[in-house]
Amino acid sequence: MDELLQEFIAETRETLEALAGEIVAWEAAPTDRARLDSIFRFVHTVKGSCGFLDLPRLERLSHAAEDTLAQVRDGTRVPDRQLVNAVLAIVDRIGELVEAIDAGAALDDSSEELLIAALSADAAPLASQAVQPAVHRAPSRSVRLGVDLLDRMMSGMSEMVLARNELARQLRNHSTLPGIEGALERLSQTVADMRDTVTRTRMQKIDALFSALPRMVRDTSAELEKQVMLTIEGSDVELDREMIELMRDPLVHIIRNALDHGIEPNAERQAAGKPAAGRLVVSARQSGNQILVEVRDDGRGIDVERLAAKACKLGIKTAAETAAMSPLAKLELAFHPGLSSRDTVTAISGRGVGMDVVRANIEQIGGRIVLTNRRGQGLTVSIQVPLTLSIIPAIIVAAGNQRFALARQAVEEIVTTRGAAVRIDNVGDTSIATVRGRRLAVVSLDKLLGLGDSEPRTLAIVNTRDGEYALAIDEVLDTEELVVKPASPMVMATGIYAGKTLPDTGLPMLLLDSAGVAAVAGLTFHNGAVDFAEVEADEAVQEQRWSALLFDDVDGRRRAVPLPAVDRVEAVEASAIQAVGGRLRIVIDGASVAIHTMAALPQKGEINMLRLADGVSVVGYAIAEPVEIVSLPAGFVAAQGGGMIAGVVMVEGQQIELVDVHALFAEIETTIPTKATCLLHGDQSGWMATFLRPALEAAGYHCVSELVPGERVQVALAMEDADAATIPVAAPVVRLTTSPQRRGDGSVYRYDRVSLLGAIAETLAGAA
Amino acid sequence: MDLFLLAEMGGRTVAIDADQVHSVVDIGEIIPVPRANPCVRGLVALRSRVVTVICTRIAMGLPVPKQAAKRAIITNIDGHFYAVLVDSLEDVAPFTRLPLMSGVLLEGGWRALGVGMIERDDEPVLIVDLSALIARQSLAA
C-alpha cells in the first residue's frame, strides 16, 4: 500500500502543478467549460484514489467539491466568485493534505468543515484565506524519470549483454590467460544482475495493479451493503510501468461503477434468480500485441433505453436522434460527459463522470475501451492497451531451422508424439491429436510458416481465449524470459506474431501469437474438436444417442456406419463381384448392386458386405469384419476434404471414421452406367484434364480432349468463354463458369460437382 | 538547399532526404519472417535494436539479383526502425529540392515514391520518400 500511496502523492502533486494554470484561468472566466471539466476531473480522480487508499478526509473534501462542480456542470448553479473561491480553497487544501501525508505530519482538520460549508449556495462568503500553513514537504524517496531515459538505459543494457557475449566468444577462441575465466564469470554475473535491476526500473508485474483491489472491493461493497465475490485472473506478465500507472485510475473507476451500478442489491438479485453474491471478475491477459484488462460483472447491465431517455432529457440528443440510434450507439452514450444511467448520486460513483474520464485516459495511451452489455446479465468493460514493452516468460521452439518464442502462459503442456499417451490421426486433410483421451486440432507450425513439412515430433498444447489446440513443432529448445517489443506493422500484418525480441544470441526472434496462429490456420472452435469435447460433457445432449455399426474395413481401419442405413451384413463370393459400368458391381436378387470399397478386394474367397439401403436403392460396402453395435452421443467432428467419410466419432476413446452414407448413395445415384463420351473442349490451361477428367471418369464417363476419328461424342464441356463455333461436334454443350454465381443460362460452376454431373446427365437425357 | 543521400536503388540513382536517414549500415544475418509481405526480408539486429529489413527491389516489383544487397539505410517511420536495402551508396550532398516535372510519368513502384527531384550535374535525380515506400507496403500487407 505504501507504494500506492507514494504514487498517489506524486501524481496528485504533479496534477496540481499542471492544474495551477487552469485554476487561475477558471477564476478569471468561471464559465469556461473546458477549465471546469479539468478541475472536475481532478477532484473526481482524487476522490476515487482516496476511497482506494482509505484517506477519508481527502475523500470528503473532494466529494464535496465534486458535488458542487457537478451542479455547475448540470447548469443548476452559476459559478460565481464565491463558489470559485470555495472550490479553489478546497483544491489548495487537498494540496496541503497531500504534502502533510507525504511528510507524515498531522494537519488539524478544524477548518475543513468550514471549507465544505462554504461550497453551499447560501454560504457566507469565505473569509479570505488565512495565512497558508507552513508546508511540511518531506524529502521524497522516489524520483520520476523520463521514459526516454529509461529506454536508453534498457537498450544500453542489452548492448552490454551482447558485448559480453561477443567478448566471451573471443576469449574462448584465443585466450589461455589464467584467471580470465573467473573474471569473465564475474562480469557475466554482474551484467545479469544489472540487467535484472534495469529491467525492473521499467517493468512491473500487473499484480501491482491488482493487489489493492480485494480490499477496495470489500470496503466499497460493504458500504453499499452488497455481497460481492471478486475473482482476479492475473498473470505473471510484466508491463511497462507507464501503462500500469495509466491504467490504475480507469480500473478503479470501472470497478466502482460495477459495484455501485452494475451489481444489484441482494434482494433484487434474488428476485432475478441470481445468486445473492454478485460476481466481479478482473482479468488481465496478453493477446497479440495488446494487453487486455477486463472487468466483468454479473449485475444488471446498462439500460440503454433509459440512458437514451436521459440523454434526451439533458438535451444532449434529441428524441428523433435517439430513436434512430442503434442499441450500440445508445450504449456509447455511457461515455458522454455528464450522463449516467443512474439517477441518484452516491459517494461511490455515479455522477456520470468516470466513463468519459476513463475513456479519455485510455485513449491517451493509445488504448481502446469496449463495453459488452448483456442486459440483466451484466456488463463487461474491456480495456485494450498496446503492448509497448513486456517481459514474457517464453518457450523457445524450433520450426524448420528457425527459432520462435511462444508465451509460456499460453502453453498448457508439451508432449512428444512418440509417447504412448499421444496419437495423431489424419482425418480428411487435417490432423487431430488425441492426448490422453482429449482431442485437439493440430496446427503444424512448419507447414503454416512454409518452413517444411516434417512429421511433427512435439506438440505444444496451446491455450487461446476460444479454445485449445495442439501446435506441432520440431522441438523445444529452451525457456527464457524475453523482453518483447512490438514489431513493425508489416510484420504484425501477418497476424501470427505478437512481437519481436532480441535474446542473448544476438539474433532477433519472433514471438508467436497463439490465438493469431489458430486464426490464420483456420481453426474454428465452434464446430471443431474442442467443441466436441463440450458436447460429450453436456449431460443434456447425452440423451440423444444414436446407434452405429462398428466394423473393420478392408483397408484395415476401423470405421462406423449409422445402423439404420444397414439392411444386412452378408457374405458374398469374391468372384461374383465384377468391374462393370466403371465400378464394382454384384448381382443380388436379380438386380445389379454397386459395391463401394476402400481398398482392392481379393479375387477369391468370401467377402463380407454391408448391404446398405435407403428405402429405394441398395448399395454394397465391402468390409473385413463387423465388430459390434455401439451407442454414440449426438454430434461428431466433421471431416474436411469430403470423400466417403462424414467425420469422426469417439468410441471408447478411439477415433473412428464415420462412413458418409449420403455420399455413398449420392455417388451411386449420379453414376451413369452407360459410358458416355465427353469432349473436354478448349482446355488450354489443362484444368479440365487435371481437375475435371478424374471427377468425370469417377462418375463413369469417358473423356477425350480431342476428337478422335471414329469416336462418337455425346456431350461437350466448354468453359464459358470458349467460342461455340470452335466446338467441332454437334453434341450438346455444357458450359462451365469460373465463378460460383448462378447465371441462369444453364452454365454450371466448375467446382459444383453435383450440379455439374447433374447437368451432364440432364443434357444426355435431353439428347437421347 | 537540403541535404540528400544519393543511393542506387533498383538500378537507378535516387535521392533520399537526409532527415529520413537515421544511419547507413551493412547488415548481418537476417532472420526471415514467415508469411510476411515478400518485401520484408526479415529482421536484423543492429546492436540492441531489432529492425525490419525491406527489400526495395521486391517492393517495387523489380528483379532481385542473386547476390542480395547488404547495405541498408536505417530509417525510423512511425516509431519503428526499418533497414531499406540499397544497391550502393554514392554521396551525401546539399541540393535544391525541385518539384516533379509536369508530364513526367513515373512507372510502377516509383510513382508512389517520387516526391520531387534534384539536379546533379544537369542530371535529374528522383527524390524518394522512404515513408511512402513503407506505408505502401504496409497497406499491401
Side-chain angles (χ1 to χ4, degrees), chain A residues 17 26 64 83 177 291 293 336 358 456 460 480 483 532 548 551 574 698 716 718 748 753:
Chain A
E17 276 163 25
W26 188 52
L83 183 142
L177 280 176
I291 295 290
V293 176
H336 201 285
V358 164
E480 205 175 317
V483 178
F532 184 71
F551 62 91
V748 186
R753 193 167 174 150

Side-chain angles (χ1 to χ4, degrees), chain A residues 719-732:
Chain A
M719 294 309 292
E720 52 190 325
D721 52 2
D723 187 352
T726 62
I727 298 173
V729 287

